[in-house]
Amino acid sequence: MKKLKLYKKGVLKASFFLNIISFLLFSFFAVIFPSCKSSAVQEVYVDPIELLDNESSFFLSIPYSADPSLMTRIIESNISSISHENAVNAAKRVGVVYAGFLKSRKSMEVQLAGDVDFPKMIQGKVFTRKNGWLESTMDLKLKDENPVKYSIWSQNDLDISLPSDKIILLGRDTKGMLERYHSKYFDINLESEKKLIAPVKEYLSYSESDKAAEIKFYATRPQSFLTMLTGANLTLKLLYVRGSMRLDPKLDKQYLMDLEFEFKDSRTVPAARGVLSVAFGLTDSDVTQETPWHLTISNIKINKEQLYKLLSLI
């Protein structure tokens, strides 16, 4: 089977949120001894994936436990002064990050919500004017009490907020994500909430049993995603493309990727099946047609270094 050739064109901004995570992790270890554990307890659990909105066209979730070396590599590749030991310890502070990407003709905007472990005691030392951050506040009302004040730090058109020790928010419409966090934490209804659509949330979410298994992605506007992935302009009438990547148990340097294609018109599926087989270098046994509208492609081989290049990690 041919290995998938990944293209960097149009996806350089995909590492944008990874650089920010790296910066925060490095700052954490500059302030707190690496082995120190947070004693803070979040009274109400808020699932970070529920804080993304529905405006992005491509969604991605990366759990640390899916590939610990990947998160360590992210940190080491973006912070030249960090030691390997500190990078390994820092990576362990990340549970899972969920990101939505919105591509325009001139840029790629990212919206990220992460499940992390960043004690509030470090925020005042990391987000300072000396480090280039400007702080603003956002007051959100409670029913019969004084409003809650949230900090937002800004630098180079990037907004970041940590409404709790366990949640990080950054990127596009950080204020909107804060409003969703506030409403869920205090059980307040939002009148015009831009909820992440249920199929995306359900697919990207992790149960306790599968949290270590895989990186997941979901393209609600799949045309540009396929072009990025294959380098070919594939004209297919699709509702979505989604999939997952997991470490190859037989080859440590390789991922195995599964893709699912949902078509708008079942009549286009036979031709599309042939086109996709050629694009991904597959055999008939790798492609399964589960319904007249749905194709699954299994075990696409991706070298780790190819994925790192795709994410602009090297």
Side-chain angles (χ1 to χ4, degrees), residues 13-116:
K13 294 296 180 75
S15 65
F16 177 72
F17 77 96
L18 302 175
N19 293 330
I20 296 300
I21 288 293
S22 299
F23 168 77
L24 290 173
L25 289 166
F26 176 71
S27 300
F28 175 84
F29 282 96
V31 179
I32 303 296
F33 187 72
S35 63
C36 177
K37 295 293 184 181
S38 170
S39 60
V41 177
Q42 187 178 359
E43 296 178 0
V44 178
Y45 174 73
V46 177
D47 191 342
I49 195 174
E50 295 183 350
L51 306 180
L52 300 181
D53 63 29
N54 59 11
E55 295 186 3
S56 295
S57 58
F58 177 72
F59 298 89
L60 178 70
S61 58
I62 305 179
Y64 162 80
S65 51
D67 181 7
S69 64
L70 172 59
M71 199 67 71
T72 301
R73 180 67 174 267
I74 289 169
I75 297 168
E76 288 183 312
S77 297
N78 290 285
I79 305 174
S80 59
S81 59
I82 194 170
S83 68
H84 177 71
E85 181 182 2
N86 278 351
V88 170
N89 288 328
K92 294 176 182 178
R93 290 280 174 177
V94 179
V96 58
V97 291
Y98 301 97
F101 297 90
L102 181 61
K103 188 178 185 302
S104 65
R105 291 183 179 179
K106 297 183 179 180
S107 65
M108 178 84 79
E109 295 181 343
V110 64
Q111 181 181 67
L112 179 144
D115 173 17
V116 296

Side-chain angles (χ1 to χ4, degrees), residues 34-298:
S35 63
C36 177
K37 295 293 184 181
S38 170
S39 60
V41 177
Q42 187 178 359
E43 296 178 0
V44 178
Y45 174 73
V46 177
D47 191 342
I49 195 174
E50 295 183 350
L51 306 180
L52 300 181
D53 63 29
N54 59 11
E55 295 186 3
S56 295
S57 58
F58 177 72
F59 298 89
L60 178 70
S61 58
I62 305 179
Y64 162 80
S65 51
D67 181 7
S69 64
L70 172 59
M71 199 67 71
T72 301
R73 180 67 174 267
I74 289 169
I75 297 168
E76 288 183 312
S77 297
N78 290 285
I79 305 174
S80 59
S81 59
I82 194 170
S83 68
H84 177 71
E85 181 182 2
N86 278 351
V88 170
N89 288 328
K92 294 176 182 178
R93 290 280 174 177
V94 179
V96 58
V97 291
Y98 301 97
F101 297 90
L102 181 61
K103 188 178 185 302
S104 65
R105 291 183 179 179
K106 297 183 179 180
S107 65
M108 178 84 79
E109 295 181 343
V110 64
Q111 181 181 67
L112 179 144
D115 173 17
V116 296
D117 181 14
F118 293 136
K120 286 189 176 182
M121 62 181 294
I122 73 167
Q123 296 179 18
K125 297 182 180 181
V126 172
F127 298 105
T128 64
R129 284 183 176 271
K130 182 179 179 180
N131 290 335
W133 296 96
L134 297 178
E135 182 179 5
S136 60
T137 58
M138 182 177 181
D139 293 339
L140 294 177
K141 296 180 180 179
L142 295 176
K143 296 176 181 178
D144 299 313
E145 303 176 32
N146 293 329
V148 178
K149 188 182 296 292
Y150 297 95
S151 292
I152 299 175
W153 294 277
S154 302
Q155 183 181 113
N156 298 328
D157 297 322
L158 173 70
D159 294 333
I160 293 179
S161 183
L162 287 93
S164 81
D165 295 350
K166 302 298 183 183
I167 297 285
I168 184 172
L169 308 172
L170 66 88
R172 180 177 58 78
D173 194 21
T174 297
K175 290 183 178 180
M177 289 191 285
L178 272 176
E179 289 179 344
R180 284 187 286 279
Y181 171 85
H182 181 80
S183 68
K184 293 180 185 303
Y185 190 92
F186 292 102
D187 193 22
I188 300 171
N189 291 327
L190 286 180
E191 293 183 0
S192 57
E193 185 177 0
K194 300 177 181 178
K195 283 186 177 182
L196 184 65
I197 62 173
V200 175
K201 177 182 177 295
E202 291 170 3
Y203 187 79
L204 295 182
S205 294
Y206 297 91
S207 66
E208 289 303 317
S209 61
D210 71 0
K211 201 166 188 177
E214 55 195 10
I215 299 166
K216 299 179 183 179
F217 51 90
Y218 199 116
T220 54
R221 300 170 201 170
Q223 192 62 49
S224 59
F225 168 72
L226 281 178
T227 300
M228 176 270 291
L229 193 62
T230 66
N233 186 16
L234 303 179
T235 304
L236 304 174
K237 296 180 179 180
L238 291 161
L239 289 173
Y240 65 77
V241 175
R242 65 187 187 186
S244 61
M245 289 180 287
R246 62 197 181 279
L247 289 173
D248 187 339
K250 297 181 180 179
L251 188 60
D252 183 60
K253 297 181 179 180
Q254 187 167 270
Y255 286 94
L256 297 178
M257 180 170 67
D258 296 336
L259 286 173
E260 297 181 39
F261 301 83
E262 184 74 13
F263 291 83
K264 296 178 181 178
D265 188 342
S266 62
R267 292 173 296 181
T268 65
V269 175
R273 179 170 182 162
V275 170
L276 291 170
S277 296
V278 172
F280 289 105
L282 302 171
T283 66
D284 290 339
S285 60
D286 298 312
V287 183
T288 304
Q289 186 169 347
E290 299 176 351
T291 74
W293 301 271
H294 195 88
L295 282 182
T296 298
I297 299 179
S298 304

